[in-house]
């Protein structure tokens, strides 16, 4: 047969087109998109009938924490590369970009990269790449940026908060300056560490320890100020940045103002910021710990509307999960370690920050029915691939160029149901989205032409190890406004 696989009777949706196309796959790549009926079944080894459902490029989740050591001093992440990427494909995501974290005591980024490769090698169900987390921006780390590019890494994450990770502004400038030279995208966790630490002390003085005080300790102004500062530093160096996990509409306003000035400022938001509120942390006992992440969920509907507006109007380039899983009920990261005699309801500052969500990202965004389907593809797949140097191999349906990574949905949606953790494939004992209404879920996930998830026939259908490391190129989104070398004499 001429083709390995034919996906028939689907509605093929990309970031800019919707067509009733059949999709022919050969050697793991998209070979052809044709009008329905133009290719006959006999021309392919295998067929899948989409039955009129939407067929999209596989999801690209560019913010996933797997198998990270206890960098925040609060226990290691619950999912490793096996369980995290298994969860990804069960939720329609075919590519994850996870983090290779650097401990401040380790000056070499290349060593951290090698250690992360060893954790991921032969363990993945989805394709994957890494962002380096740079927490020690010393001369060795900076001198290694060029070698990182050689190794297929074109992005870094830095933090403006968390003692174990935080860089001072001068170090942020060092990173941005070299990132510009090496065409690296810098992701910035923009929260003002001093405001957070100072506010934690004030809460402790009043003996306010319950999980809900995590929200008080991370006020919107900490995010808004740091976002504006990050934009200013990147404007000075004239280099692209991505502000990760934006939760406040007022921070988004700084971002859209920067974008109106044509600055290469990109932004990410996550499902927690349009589904959860501070009320989800205000539950009896320790229950609220399940929704502790940073920045925290905000006040309510107004904030959620602001996040949707940013997703609709392009302020947010990507919608990622920030999957950062911890076990709720255990002795390392959960209630048995945080609840002590001294702190009978726990102490919010010892709760590890982060929520699981790699599997629920696409279904939650789809079930909300807010975005056009083309915009949905753009923010959940295409833009992540473009921003991080994977497009059109990932994030598109370009014949001859794109990997045959597909997410196929149910034809008429599904009968509504309430999400529960039993359905999920991560290694976490809860989901923060328990009880959320689900109207759609990926029926098939296809990775490089192979069905890896078939919801109605066995679920996960291929063993771990099929997922491969992706060497990445430079970003294909707009870079520095000025092509010339940065020169201090211009200022
Ligand atoms: O609370 C969060 N977001 N934890 C994950 C680590 C990070 O800052 O992304
Ligand atoms: Zn972060
Ligand atoms: Zn994160």
């Amino acid at each position: 047969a001429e083709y390995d696989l034919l996906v028939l009777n689907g509605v093929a949706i990309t970031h800019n087109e919707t067509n009733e196309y059949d999709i022919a796959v050969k050697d793991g790549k998209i070979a052809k998109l044709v009008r329905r009926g133009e290719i006959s079944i006999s021309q392919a080894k295998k067929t899948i009938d989409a039955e009129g459902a939407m067929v999209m490029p596989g999801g690209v989740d560019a913010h996933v924490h797997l198998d990270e050591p206890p960098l925040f001093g609060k226990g290691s992440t619950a999912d490793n590369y096996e369980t995290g990427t298994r969860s990804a494909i069960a939720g329609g995501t075919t590519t994850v970009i996870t983090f290779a974290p650097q401990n401040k005591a380790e000056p070499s980024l290349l060593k951290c990269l090698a250690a992360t490769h060893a954790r991921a090698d032969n363990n993945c169900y989805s394709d994957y790449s890494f962002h380096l987390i740079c927490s020690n921006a010393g001369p060795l780390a900076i001198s290694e940026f060029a070698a990182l590019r050689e190794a297929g890494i074109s992005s870094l994450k830095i933090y403006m908060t968390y003692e174990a990770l935080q860089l001072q502004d001068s170090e942020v400038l060092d990173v941005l300056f070299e990132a510009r030279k090496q065409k690296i995208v810098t992701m910035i966790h923009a929260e003002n560490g001093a405001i957070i630490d100072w506010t934690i002390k004030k809460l402790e003085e009043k003996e306010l320890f319950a999980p809900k005080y995590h929200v008080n300790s991370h006020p919107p102004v900490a995010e808004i100020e740091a976002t504006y500062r990050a934009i200013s530093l990147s404007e000075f160096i004239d280099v692209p940045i991505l502000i990760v996990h934006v939760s406040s509409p007022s921070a988004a306003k700084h971002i859209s103002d920067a974008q109106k000035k044509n600055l290469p400022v990109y932004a990410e938001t996550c499902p927690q910021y349009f589904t959860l509120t501070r009320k989800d942390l205000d539950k009896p006992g320790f229950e609220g710990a399940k929704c502790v992440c940073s920045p925290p969920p905000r006040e309510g509907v107004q904030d959620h509307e602001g996040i949707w507006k940013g997703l609709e109007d392009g302020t947010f380039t990507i919608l990622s999960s920030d999957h950062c899983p911890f076990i709720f009920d255990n002795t390392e990261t959960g209630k048995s370690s945080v609840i002590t005699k001294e702190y009978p309801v726990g102490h919010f500052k010892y709760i590890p920050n982060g929520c699981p969500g790699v599997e629920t990202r696409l279904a939650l965004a789809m079930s909300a029915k807010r975005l056009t389907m083309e915009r949905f593809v753009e923010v959940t797949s295409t833009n992540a691939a473009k921003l991080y140097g994977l497009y059109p191999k990932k994030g598109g349906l370009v014949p001859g160029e794109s990997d045959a990574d597909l997410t196929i949905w149910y034809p008429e949606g599904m009968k509504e149901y309430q999400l529960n953790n039993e359905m999920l494939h991560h290694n976490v004992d809860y989901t923060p989205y328990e009880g959320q209404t689900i109207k759609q879920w990926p029926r098939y996930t296809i990775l490089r032409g192979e069905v890896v998830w078939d919801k109605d026939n066995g679920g996960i259908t291929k063993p771990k190890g099929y997922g491969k490391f992706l060497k990445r190129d430079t970003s294909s989104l707009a870079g520095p406004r000025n092509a010339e070398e940065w020169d201090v004499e211009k200022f």
Side-chain angles (χ1 to χ4, degrees):
E2 201 175 336
Y3 300 108
D4 299 321
L5 174 70
L6 265 183
V7 177
L8 300 169
N9 304 317
V11 179
I13 302 175
T14 64
H15 68 287
N16 59 5
E17 257 193 282
T18 302
N19 288 293
E20 294 190 346
Y21 279 154
D22 292 341
I23 300 174
V25 172
K26 181 147 181 82
D27 299 331
K29 293 265 177 198
I30 303 288
K32 247 184 184 176
L33 305 179
V34 296
R35 299 266 160 228
R36 277 189 190 166
E38 272 180 27
I39 297 181
S40 80
I41 293 177
S42 63
Q43 287 170 271
K45 289 184 195 145
K46 195 180 154 159
T47 58
I48 290 179
D49 188 351
E51 300 183 282
M54 299 182 291
V55 181
M56 300 174 171
V60 179
D61 191 341
H63 192 144
V64 177
H65 300 264
L66 299 179
D67 209 345
E68 284 186 23
L71 267 188
F72 305 88
K74 295 172 186 171
S76 33
T77 46
D79 279 308
N80 57 23
Y81 278 84
E82 177 178 346
T83 62
T85 58
R86 179 179 73 196
S87 193
I89 59 168
T93 290
T94 47
T95 297
V96 295
I97 312 182
T98 64
F99 293 95
Q102 180 194 32
N103 190 313
K104 263 199 202 293
E106 171 53 71
S108 167
L109 290 170
L110 290 173
K111 278 199 187 149
C112 305
L113 176 61
T116 306
H117 267 298
R119 292 198 281 269
D121 258 1
N122 292 314
N123 280 325
C124 293
Y125 288 87
S126 70
D127 283 353
Y128 62 97
S129 184
F130 310 125
H131 310 288
L132 260 292
I133 289 179
C134 179
S135 60
N136 175 340
L140 181 63
I142 300 284
S143 75
E144 290 176 334
F145 285 16
L148 288 179
R149 288 278 292 105
E150 292 287 310
I153 306 294
S154 51
S155 51
L156 296 168
K157 183 180 178 189
I158 58 174
Y159 286 78
M160 297 168 85
T161 182
Y162 294 123
E163 207 185 342
L165 302 167
Q166 184 173 350
L167 302 188
Q168 301 309 313
D169 288 357
S170 60
E171 297 170 305
V172 174
L173 290 170
D174 285 339
V175 168
L176 293 177
F177 187 71
E178 187 64 16
R180 187 185 200 278
K181 282 196 205 156
Q182 304 301 339
K183 297 189 165 57
I184 282 174
V185 174
T186 305
M187 311 159 75
I188 305 186
H189 181 130
E191 285 187 292
N192 178 314
I195 293 181
I196 292 167
D197 294 341
W198 187 89
T199 311
I200 290 174
K201 286 212 186 79
K202 290 291 168 205
L203 289 159
E204 287 178 318
E205 279 165 26
K206 297 188 85 170
E207 299 191 10
L208 301 173
F209 304 124
K212 67 176 181 180
Y213 294 109
H214 172 73
V215 180
N216 301 64
S217 71
H218 290 248
V221 69
E223 184 186 19
I224 296 162
E225 183 281 328
T227 299
Y228 187 71
R229 184 155 37 102
I231 291 168
S232 306
L233 297 174
S234 80
E235 179 173 9
F236 180 46
I237 304 295
D238 183 23
V239 64
I241 54 167
L242 171 104
I243 309 287
V244 289
H245 46 51
V246 175
S247 71
S248 295
S250 307
K253 175 75 167 62
H254 282 316
I255 291 160
S256 70
D257 288 348
Q259 291 166 343
K260 282 181 193 126
K261 294 199 307 194
N262 265 326
L263 302 180
V265 171
Y266 302 101
E268 168 191 83
T269 191
C270 317
Q272 45 272 45
Y273 303 121
F274 59 70
T275 49
L276 305 179
T277 70
R278 72 186 300 156
K279 284 200 194 70
D280 290 292
L281 282 84
D282 186 6
K283 292 193 174 141
F286 195 59
E287 194 61 20
K290 291 179 176 175
C291 297
V292 166
C293 57
S294 290
R298 298 298 180 189
E299 292 303 311
V301 175
Q302 289 282 81
D303 297 280
H304 293 179
E305 284 304 308
I307 296 299
W308 280 119
K309 183 176 163 289
L311 280 167
E312 285 157 2
D313 71 16
T315 305
F316 295 119
T317 319
I318 58 176
L319 175 69
S320 312
S321 66
D322 193 7
H323 180 84
C324 188
F326 298 98
I327 305 276
F328 178 71
D329 194 2
N330 85 344
T331 52
E332 195 197 356
T333 60
K335 64 181 180 192
S336 358
S337 64
V338 180
I339 297 177
T340 58
K341 266 208 187 93
E342 196 183 359
Y343 303 118
V345 286
H347 185 321
F348 66 85
K349 82 171 179 188
Y350 298 125
I351 300 170
N353 290 190
C355 296
V358 71
E359 189 168 346
T360 45
R361 175 182 70 120
L362 296 179
L364 285 171
M366 179 63 79
S367 298
K369 298 193 169 176
R370 291 293 299 255
L371 303 176
T372 67
M373 287 302 98
E374 291 173 12
R375 183 69 185 146
F376 177 92
V377 171
E378 191 167 40
V379 296
T380 60
S381 176
T382 313
N383 275 353
K386 287 182 176 174
L387 180 64
Y388 295 122
L390 285 171
Y391 189 81
K393 181 177 170 64
K394 301 296 186 186
L397 302 177
V398 183
E401 299 205 42
S402 297
D403 283 353
D405 297 354
L406 302 170
T407 303
I408 306 177
W409 299 84
Y410 282 89
E412 304 290 335
M414 301 168 86
K415 207 165 155 251
E416 285 189 14
Y417 65 91
Q418 310 322 116
L419 186 66
N420 84 64
N421 194 50
E422 301 302 300
M423 300 165 180
L424 303 178
H425 297 75
H426 56 196
N427 179 44
V428 192
D429 54 351
Y430 76 96
T431 167
Y433 309 112
E434 188 80 26
Q436 294 273 340
T437 301
I438 297 295
K439 299 174 183 165
Q440 258 289 20
W441 196 274
R443 182 182 185 186
Y444 302 102
T445 306
I446 295 172
L447 175 58
R448 286 179 273 109
E450 298 282 342
V451 176
V452 291
W453 166 251
D454 179 345
K455 189 168 174 7
D456 301 321
N457 293 290
I460 306 281
T461 52
K462 265 192 97 77
K464 72 170 188 177
Y466 179 61
K468 289 283 171 279
F469 175 70
L470 299 162
K471 272 190 143 189
R472 292 184 287 121
D473 211 329
T474 55
S475 176
S476 52
L477 297 185
R481 289 193 294 179
N482 233 305
E484 300 119 60
E485 231 182 280
W486 192 92
D487 183 357
V488 71
E489 289 181 38
K490 281 195 291 206
F491 298 93

